[in-house]
Amino acid sequence: MSRPTRPNRRRFYVAFAVVALLLAGVVSSFASSSPDGLERVADDQGMAQAEKEHDLADSPLADYGIGAIDNGLVSGGVAGVVGVLVVLTLTAGLTLAVRRKNAAGRGS
C-alpha cells in the first residue's frame, strides 16, 4: 500500500506570501479613511486636541504610508507590502532558529 504524498510546503508558503502581499498592496488601498474607534472616542471626548506628535512621526512608515510617496493609495499599498515583508521575514527567521535549536537538542 502506498503512502499518500505530502503536499509541497514550499509551494504553500510561496502561495501564502503572494496572497498576503496582494492583500496588503491592493486591499489596503480600500481601507477606510474614517477614524477608528479609539480615535473617534478621543475626538468625541475632546482628548484629541491635547495630542502631541510622537518621536517616530517622521519615520518612513508613519501613519500607514510612505512619506516620500505623494499618492495616498500607492503610499498605503507600498507600506502594507513592506509591513508584510517584515513580518514574513521575522517569522521565517524565528521559525528557522527554533527548528535549528530543536534539531541540535535532539542530536546531543
Side-chain angles (χ1 to χ4, degrees), residues 42-57:
D43 284 340
D44 291 349
Q45 299 299 318
M47 296 180 284
Q49 289 77 19
E51 73 182 25
K52 297 180 269 180
E53 285 291 331
H54 54 82
D55 294 337
L56 298 176

Side-chain angles (χ1 to χ4, degrees), residues 50-81:
E51 73 182 25
K52 297 180 269 180
E53 285 291 331
H54 54 82
D55 294 337
L56 298 176
D58 294 328
S59 68
L61 294 174
D63 292 329
Y64 305 106
I66 305 289
I69 300 175
D70 292 332
N71 184 322
L73 292 176
V74 174
S75 175
V78 172
V81 167

